């Protein structure tokens, strides 16, 4: 009888089902983990870009984390970057580079990056970026007299760069410099006609004096002796005529930057190559951040795969936002302050 009573009591006991653990809260764009991933991504992008200028983080637009197992996750990032004043070849750390101001005709970069985090260590699997300058209309609304970015194969720009490099080489006793690429240029017409250009240079195996005899024979220094630099030129064409040029060489860098900075375009008619203005050195458009790179040591390295993954992550994020919006319709206690949305993050510099 006692056994029967015990069995009846056991049957009547409530059954407690195991409650599944709640999924972790989505990572916010301004969380420290997100910022660390973004910084790793920006360093990777700058390290694998071979043209133009270094870019700095302006905003984390979105982040998606996909667990892969214990202490292993894939991170997808959407980043907004801004061009700095540091050339890509400059050894200056990004933290010391100034973001180019809005009135200087700012340039924005948009990047999708895929990273892996294993045992707390971040590595970039793939990245895809493109960039664009702010619209001329936006600049002129704020600064009607500000000069706008000019095409790099503009005749006046080529004239200014060629004259500046000739002028510098004619006055130096050091190595003869050859043009690598034109970084950016602006032309102002009022109240004075002024051309401003910035361009990357490399030291050759000739002295400036030796180059006078045969500049075409001068070659860039080999990798173990490489010496790159950057020049700025200001050519006043009206009301007076004046030319100012300033060049800074960075010295040998290890590892040496990727040397073939030159694009493949035809030589503009009448272009003067006496200053080492290689015909193919003027083909890149302004603000070029056309970067698509896959880590060769990564296990997942298809450039199309990152786009598919990002699109999938975006759709999941949109569904999560929609669900959150439905929850927000539930009556809240008086004085309740909803938490800030996890993304996009705060703007660090300015919006374009």
């Amino acid at each position: 009888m006692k056994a029967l009573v015990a069995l009846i009591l056991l049957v009547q006991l409530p059954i407690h089902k195991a409650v599944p653990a709640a999924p972790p809260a989505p990572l916010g764009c301004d969380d420290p983990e997100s910022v660390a991933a973004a910084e790793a991504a920006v360093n990777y992008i700058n390290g694998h870009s071979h043209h133009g200028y270094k870019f700095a983080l302006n905003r984390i637009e979105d982040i998606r984390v996909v667990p892969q197992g214990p202490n292993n996750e894939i991170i997808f990032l959407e980043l907004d970057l801004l061009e700095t004043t540091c050339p890509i070849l400059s050894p200056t750390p990004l933290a010391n580079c100034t973001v180019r101001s809005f009135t200087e005709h700012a340039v924005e970069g948009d990047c999708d990056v895929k990273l892996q985090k294993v045992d707390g260590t971040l590595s970039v699997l793939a990245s895809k970026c493109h960039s664009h300058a702010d619209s001329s209309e936006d600049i002129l609304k704020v600064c009607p007299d500000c000069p706008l970015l000019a095409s790099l194969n503009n005749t006046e720009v080529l004239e200014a760069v060629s004259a500046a490099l000739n002028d510098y080489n004619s006055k130096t006793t050091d190595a003869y410099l050859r043009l690598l690429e034109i970084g950016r240029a602006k032309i102002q017409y009022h109240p004075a006609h002024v051309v401003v250009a910035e361009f990357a240079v490399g030291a050759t195996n000739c002295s400036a004096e030796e180059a006078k005899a045969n500049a075409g024979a001068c070659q860039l220094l080999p990798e173990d002796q490489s010496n790159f630099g950057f020049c700025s030129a200001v050519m006043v064409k009206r009301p007076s005529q004046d030319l100012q040029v300033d060049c800074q060489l960075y010295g040998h860098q290890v590892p040496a930057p990727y040397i073939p900075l030159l694009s493949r375009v035809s030589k503009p008619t009448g272009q003067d190559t006496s200053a080492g203005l290689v015909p193919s050195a003027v083909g890149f458009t302004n603000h070029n951040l056309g970067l698509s790179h896959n880590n060769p040591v990564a296990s997942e390295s298809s450039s199309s795969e990152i786009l598919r993954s990002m699109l999938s992550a975006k759709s999941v994020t949109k569904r999560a936002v929609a669900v959150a919006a439905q929850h927000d319709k539930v009556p809240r206690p008086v004085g309740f302050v909803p938490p800030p949305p996890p993304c996009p993050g705060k703007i660090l510099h300015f919006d374009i």
Side-chain angles (χ1 to χ4, degrees), residues 8 12 62 72 105 112 130 133 152 159 161 165 205 213 243 264 272 285 287 303:
I8 294 173
Q12 291 177 340
D62 199 12
N72 184 356
H105 207 159
D112 289 340
H130 69 275
L152 299 184
E159 177 191 1
V161 171
L165 203 46
N205 57 358
L243 175 64
R264 292 174 289 277
D272 176 15
T285 57
H287 52 79
S303 59

Side-chain angles (χ1 to χ4, degrees), residues 55-308:
F55 277 74
L57 179 65
N58 188 42
R59 188 184 208 184
I60 302 176
E61 284 288 336
D62 199 12
I63 182 169
R64 170 72 177 164
V65 180
V66 181
Q68 299 291 297
N71 301 318
N72 184 356
E73 55 192 21
I74 299 295
I75 302 173
F76 298 98
L77 284 174
E78 287 183 64
L79 304 176
D80 283 347
L81 313 180
L82 286 175
E83 183 187 78
T84 72
T85 58
C86 288
I88 202 68
L89 294 176
S90 171
T92 303
L94 181 61
N96 296 337
C97 294
T98 302
V99 169
R100 203 177 293 277
S101 69
F102 176 82
T103 53
E104 287 182 280
H105 207 159
V107 173
E108 179 182 38
D110 299 313
C111 296
D112 289 340
V113 188
K114 180 179 181 180
L115 307 93
Q116 186 171 29
K117 187 176 183 181
V118 179
D119 294 328
T121 301
L122 288 162
S123 59
V124 175
L125 301 181
S127 61
K128 191 172 184 66
C129 299
H130 69 275
S131 57
H132 61 277
D134 194 10
S135 70
S136 301
E137 292 78 8
D138 288 348
I139 300 294
L140 296 177
K141 284 179 184 176
V142 177
C143 183
D145 297 325
C146 287
L148 302 174
L149 285 173
S151 172
L152 299 184
N153 60 2
N154 178 285
T155 303
E156 290 189 85
V157 172
L158 298 180
E159 177 191 1
V161 171
S162 180
L165 203 46
N166 272 327
D167 183 73
Y168 182 87
N169 280 323
S170 69
K171 295 177 180 177
T172 184
T173 57
D174 297 325
Y176 176 77
L177 300 185
R178 184 175 291 280
L179 179 72
L180 295 179
E181 72 171 7
I182 301 174
R184 63 165 31 219
K186 295 186 291 185
I187 302 176
Q188 179 176 310
Y189 295 98
H190 303 287
H193 188 173
V194 181
V195 181
V196 179
E198 300 176 3
F199 50 97
V201 294
T204 68
N205 57 358
C206 299
S207 67
E209 184 64 30
E210 292 170 336
K212 291 178 181 178
N214 186 10
C218 299
Q219 302 297 320
L220 290 173
L221 292 174
E223 183 174 312
D224 59 349
Q225 304 173 37
S226 61
N227 188 5
F228 299 99
F230 207 73
C231 301
S232 59
V234 178
M235 174 180 275
V236 180
K237 305 185 74 173
R238 195 188 67 249
S240 60
Q241 292 189 342
D242 185 37
L243 175 64
Q244 297 178 11
V245 57
D246 178 64
C247 294
Q248 176 189 4
L249 291 176
Y250 302 133
H252 178 53
Q253 301 173 53
V254 180
Y258 179 76
I259 293 177
L261 288 170
L262 311 179
S263 66
R264 292 174 289 277
V265 295
S266 58
K267 174 181 174 180
T269 304
Q271 180 182 333
D272 176 15
T273 60
S274 61
L277 213 65
V278 182
S280 60
V282 295
F284 281 102
T285 57
N286 288 309
H287 52 79
N288 180 30
L289 186 63
L291 172 70
S292 180
H293 195 273
N294 300 293
N295 191 331
V297 299
S299 58
E300 303 178 55
S301 59
S302 168
S303 59
S304 59
E305 187 272 342
I306 184 177
L307 296 179
R308 291 196 300 270

Side-chain angles (χ1 to χ4, degrees), residues 318-334:
K318 288 180 179 178
R319 288 198 299 272
V321 171
V323 171
Q326 291 297 324
H327 286 300
D328 284 343
K329 294 179 181 179
V330 177
R332 302 292 188 182
V334 176

